[in-house]
C-alpha cells in the first residue's frame, strides 16, 4: 500500500506544472466512453478533463445559465446548435463526435426477442429516457411509433430523468425492459439486448461544442481537438458508436 | 397536452400525496410519539434516532434503498405480486410509502414534544378521577397536545410537498401517477419551458411562506413553543 502511495506521489511530481484542467459537460449516454477518453487524453497531454454527467436537456439549461463548462458533449444536434446561436459557443467549431445506437435491454433474456418482447403480454413496465430532455428517449418513442406499439404501450412507460437512470430502472428489475444506448450495455455479459433497426428511428447524431468559457483554456481546446483524433475515435467506436470522418 | 393541465395535474397529485401521507402519519405517529415521550429509556432513544434518520440522510440514500426494497428483489415486489405487478416503484402507492418514511420525523417530533411537555401530572389527575387510561388519553392528553398535532400536520404536509429526490429516484415521471410538483419543475427547467417552471416555483415559494407564517402564528396563539 505504502509503495503504491509513493509511486502515486512520484507521478504527481513528474507532471509538468503547466498541466491544465478543463470541465466537460457530458450527455449521460456517453459516460463510459468519455471516462475512457479522459484517461487517454490525460496520458497524451497531461491535462485533466473533469467530467459532469446529466441529461442533455439538464446540461443545456445549466449552460444557458452560465455553468462553468468548457466543452459540451450533447446527445443531439439541436441543443449544441442552440448554444452556438445564443453566442455561448465558439462559432463554427461544432461537429458530430458520435452517432448513437438505440438498444432494448432487459435483465432477463427477453429483450433479445425484440419487437416480439414488446408485444408480449408479460411486459408491465417499459423504461425510456424522458423524451423531452434526452434524445435516446425521443428515439425510443420514434421506435414505438414506427412499430405501431406506442398507443398500446403508453400506459406502461416510465421515464428516467436521464438515460443512466433509465438503465438503472431496468437493472434493478423495477422495469422489465428499457430503451438505452448501446454504449451502456456493450460491455455487459448479463441480460439480453436487441439492437433496434436503424430504420425505426432518426439517427442519433451527437454534437460537441467548445463553449466560450473554454476558448481561452488551453486544456479545453486540447480536449476538443483530441475528441477528433484517431485515438479518441477508436475509443468511441469501441463503446458502440459510429464516428464520422473528420471534415 | 395543454400548458394548464401540465401544471394543474402535478398540483392536484401533490396535494393528494401530501394529504394522504399526512393522514397516515398522524395515525401512525400518535402511538409512537406517546410511547417515545413517556419515561425515557435507551431503547426509546434508539428507536427515536432511527425514526429521525430521514432528517439527516440525503434523499438519494432513501431513494436508493426504496428502489431496491420496492423492486422485484425486495419486500415491495412481493407485495406488488399480490395484484400481479412486479414492483411498487413507479406507483402512487410507492410514493406514499416513501413519503411516509421521509416525512415521519416531522410528524413524530412535534407530537412527542407536546406529550413530553405535558408531564405525568394530567394523566395522574385523570387516573385519580377514575378515568381509564384510554379515556384519559383521548380526553386529557390529546386535547393538551393539540398544538403539537397541528404543527405535526402542517410540517408533515409541507415536507411531503417539498419532497424531490426520493420521488425522482422511484417515481419514473408518470403524469397523474408520480409526476408531482417538484419533479414537474425539474422537467420544465430541463426542457426549457421556463414560463411554466416560474409559475410553479413561485407558487411553491408562496406556499412555503404561508406555511412558515402559519406555524409562527400557531405558536404565538397557543402560547407555547410548538416544537
Amino acid at each position: 500500500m505504502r509503495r503504491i502511495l509513493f509511486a502515486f506521489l512520484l507521478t504527481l511530481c513528474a507532471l509538468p506544472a503547466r498541466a491544465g484542467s478543463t470541465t466537460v459537460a457530458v450527455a449521460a449516454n456517453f459516460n463510459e466512453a468519455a471516462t475512457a477518453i479522459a484517461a487517454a487524453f490525460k496520458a497524451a497531454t497531461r491535462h485533466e478533463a473533469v467530467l459532469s454527467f446529466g441529461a442533455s436537456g439538464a446540461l443545456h439549461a445549466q449552460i444557458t445559465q452560465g455553468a462553468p463548462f468548457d466543452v459540451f458533449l450533447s446527445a443531439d444536434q439541436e441543443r449544441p446548435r442552440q448554444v452556438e446561436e445564443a453566442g455561448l459557443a465558439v462559432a463554427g467549431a461544432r461537429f458530430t463526435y458520435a452517432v448513437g445506437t438505440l438498444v432494448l435491454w432487459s435483465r432477463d433474456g427477453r429483450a433479445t426477442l425484440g419487437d416480439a418482447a414488446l408485444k408480449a403480454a408479460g411486459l408491465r413496465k417499459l423504461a425510456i429516457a424522458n423524451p423531452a430532455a434526452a434524445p435516446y428517449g425521443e428515439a425510443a418513442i420514434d421506435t414505438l411509433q414506427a412499430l405501431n406499439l406506442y398507443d398500446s404501450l403508453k400506459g406502461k412507460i416510465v421515464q428516467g430523468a436521464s438515460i443512466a437512470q433509465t438503465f438503472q430502472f431496468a437493472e434493478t428489475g423495477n422495469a422489465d425492459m428499457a430503451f438505452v444506448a448501446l454504449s451502456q450495455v456493450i460491455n455487459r455479459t448479463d441480460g439480453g439486448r436487441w439492437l433496434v433497426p436503424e430504420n425505426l428511428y432518426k439517427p442519433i447524431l451527437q454534437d460537441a461544442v467548445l463553449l466560450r468559457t473554454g476558448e481561452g483554456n488551453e486544456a479545453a481546446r486540447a480536449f476538443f481537438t483530441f475528441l477528433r483524433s484517431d485515438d479518441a475515435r477508436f475509443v468511441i467506436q469501441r463503446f458502440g458508436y459510429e464516428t464520422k470522418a473528420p471534415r | 397536452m395543454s400548458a394548464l393541465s401540465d401544471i394543474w395535474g402535478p398540483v392536484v397529485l401533490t396535494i393528494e400525496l401530501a394529504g394522504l401521507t399526512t393522514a397516515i402519519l398522524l395515525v401512525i405517529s400518535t402511538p409512537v410519539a406517546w410511547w417515545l415521550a413517556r419515561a425515557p429509556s435507551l431503547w426509546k432513544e434508539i428507536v427515536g434516532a432511527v425514526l429521525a434518520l430521514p432528517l439527516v440522510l440525503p434523499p438519494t440514500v432513501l431513494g436508493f434503498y426504496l428502489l431496491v426494497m420496492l423492486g422485484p428483489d425486495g419486500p415491495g415486489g412481493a407485495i406488488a405480486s399480490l395484484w400481479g405487478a412486479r414492483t411498487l416503484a413507479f406507483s402512487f402507492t410507492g410514493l406514499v410509502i416513501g413519503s411516509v418514511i421521509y416525512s415521519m420525523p416531522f410528524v413524530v417530533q412535534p407530537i412527542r414534544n407536546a406529550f413530553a411537555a405535558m408531564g405525568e401530572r394530567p394523566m395522574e389527575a385523570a387516573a385519580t378521577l377514575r378515568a381509564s387510561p384510554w379515556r384519559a388519553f383521548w380526553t386529557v392528553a390529546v386535547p393538551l397536545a393539540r398544538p403539537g398535532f397541528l404543527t405535526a400536520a402542517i410540517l408533515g404536509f409541507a415536507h411531503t410537498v417539498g419532497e424531490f429526490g426520493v420521488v425522482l429516484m422511484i417515481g419514473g415521471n408518470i403524469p397523474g401517477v408520480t409526476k408531482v410538483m417538484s419533479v414537474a419543475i425539474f422537467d420544465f427547467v430541463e426542457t426549457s419551458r421556463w414560463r411554466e417552471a416560474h409559475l410553479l416555483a413561485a407558487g411553491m415559494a408562496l406556499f412555503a411562506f404561508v406555511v412558515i407564517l402559519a406555524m409562527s402564528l400557531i405558536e404565538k396563539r397557543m402560547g407555547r413553543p410548538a416544537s
Side-chain angles (χ1 to χ4, degrees):
Chain A
M1 185 66 214
R2 189 178 290 172
R3 208 184 301 167
I4 296 172
L5 204 70
F6 184 70
F8 176 69
L9 288 174
L10 209 66
T11 354
L12 281 184
C13 301
L15 295 178
R18 50 179 211 85
S21 156
T22 176
T23 52
V24 184
V26 183
N29 77 85
F30 204 62
N31 187 326
E32 291 184 38
T35 309
I37 289 171
F41 175 63
K42 184 159 191 193
T45 66
R46 300 274 166 86
H47 293 311
E48 184 98 39
V50 181
L51 310 174
S52 298
F53 304 103
S56 298
L59 296 172
H60 174 250
Q62 289 166 11
I63 287 165
T64 60
Q65 293 312 297
F69 296 123
D70 298 329
V71 178
F72 177 30
L73 305 187
S74 186
D76 67 349
Q77 294 193 296
E78 180 61 19
R79 290 183 179 88
R81 199 178 53 73
Q82 285 171 3
V83 168
E84 198 177 53
E85 276 172 10
L88 295 168
V90 177
R94 183 164 60 92
F95 75 102
T96 304
Y97 65 93
V99 184
T101 302
L102 186 70
V103 293
L104 184 67
W105 188 87
S106 65
R107 201 164 71 155
D108 51 24
R110 77 170 96 173
T112 49
L113 300 173
D115 51 341
L118 288 168
K119 287 169 193 153
L123 177 63
R124 277 166 291 205
K125 291 280 180 237
L126 171 66
I128 68 168
N130 183 347
Y136 283 85
E138 221 180 307
I141 298 280
D142 283 353
T143 302
L144 290 176
Q145 278 168 346
L147 291 169
N148 278 323
L149 288 171
Y150 181 69
D151 289 325
S152 58
L153 291 180
K154 204 161 55 177
K156 297 179 175 178
I157 291 176
V158 294
Q159 294 179 6
S162 70
I163 196 73
Q165 197 191 20
T166 307
F167 176 65
Q168 164 231 305
F169 283 164
E171 193 183 21
T172 55
N174 281 294
D176 305 287
M177 297 197 284
F179 277 109
V180 295
L182 174 60
S183 54
Q184 291 173 287
V185 297
I186 195 160
N187 289 323
R188 293 186 80 98
T189 47
D190 60 330
R193 63 178 188 237
W194 176 59
L195 289 182
V196 179
E198 280 172 22
N199 59 339
L200 295 181
Y201 61 96
K202 287 194 286 292
I204 305 170
L205 301 175
Q206 308 192 182
D207 276 12
V209 278
L210 179 62
L211 298 169
R212 283 244 176 267
T213 38
E215 207 177 357
N217 180 346
E218 190 199 325
R221 287 197 312 267
F223 184 83
F224 198 71
T225 310
F226 185 76
L227 200 56
R228 315 180 75 148
S229 69
D230 286 345
D231 285 350
R233 289 176 57 205
F234 176 73
V235 173
I236 294 171
Q237 285 164 6
R238 193 154 55 82
F239 280 93
Y241 299 94
E242 286 169 38
T243 56
K244 294 192 153 187
R247 280 171 293 185
Chain B
M1 234 192 295
S2 75
L4 192 66
S5 80
D6 279 1
I7 291 181
W8 196 239
V11 171
V12 172
L13 185 71
T14 306
I15 293 171
E16 283 171 3
L17 176 67
L20 186 60
T21 302
T22 309
I24 293 173
L25 273 175
L26 285 175
V27 172
I28 300 177
S29 301
T30 305
V32 173
W34 181 254
W35 181 67
L36 287 174
R38 312 271 95 192
S41 74
L42 183 63
W43 257 115
K44 290 176 185 175
E45 292 313 318
I46 291 171
V47 173
V50 170
L51 292 179
L53 280 179
L55 286 175
V56 180
L57 287 178
T60 39
V61 172
L62 214 51
F64 170 59
Y65 281 141
L66 279 168
L67 191 69
V68 176
M69 300 292 278
L70 297 179
D73 301 332
I79 296 170
S81 66
L82 294 178
W83 55 90
R86 266 184 97 225
T87 173
L88 282 179
F90 319 128
S91 70
F92 187 72
T93 314
L95 286 200
V96 171
I97 294 172
S99 304
V100 163
I101 297 171
Y102 181 65
S103 296
M104 186 172 275
F106 291 84
V107 177
V108 168
Q109 205 54 42
I111 304 179
R112 177 187 181 174
N113 290 344
F115 282 149
M118 194 175 81
E120 299 286 342
R121 296 286 300 277
M123 291 301 279
E124 286 167 6
T128 57
L129 296 171
R130 295 199 182 163
S132 68
W134 181 250
R135 189 176 146 88
F137 175 77
W138 285 109
T139 56
V140 177
V142 170
L144 277 175
R146 201 184 298 155
F149 278 100
L150 205 53
T151 308
I154 294 177
L155 276 183
F157 189 90
H159 195 245
T160 308
V161 168
E163 191 177 345
F164 171 67
V166 174
V167 183
L168 190 76
M169 287 187 75
I170 64 169
N173 199 15
I174 307 170
V177 181
T178 59
K179 190 172 186 171
V180 297
M181 268 198 272
S182 55
V183 174
I185 293 175
F186 179 71
D187 224 39
F188 286 138
V189 174
E190 272 203 317
T191 52
S192 304
R193 293 173 64 182
W194 288 28
R195 202 172 59 88
E196 286 92 339
H198 269 305
L199 258 171
L200 268 184
M204 289 279 249
L206 186 69
F207 169 76
F209 171 75
V210 169
V211 165
I212 293 166
L213 189 66
M215 294 287 304
S216 31
L217 288 180
I218 290 170
E219 277 182 27
K220 213 168 205 172
R221 177 161 300 185
M222 299 294 188
R224 79 164 78 148
S227 56

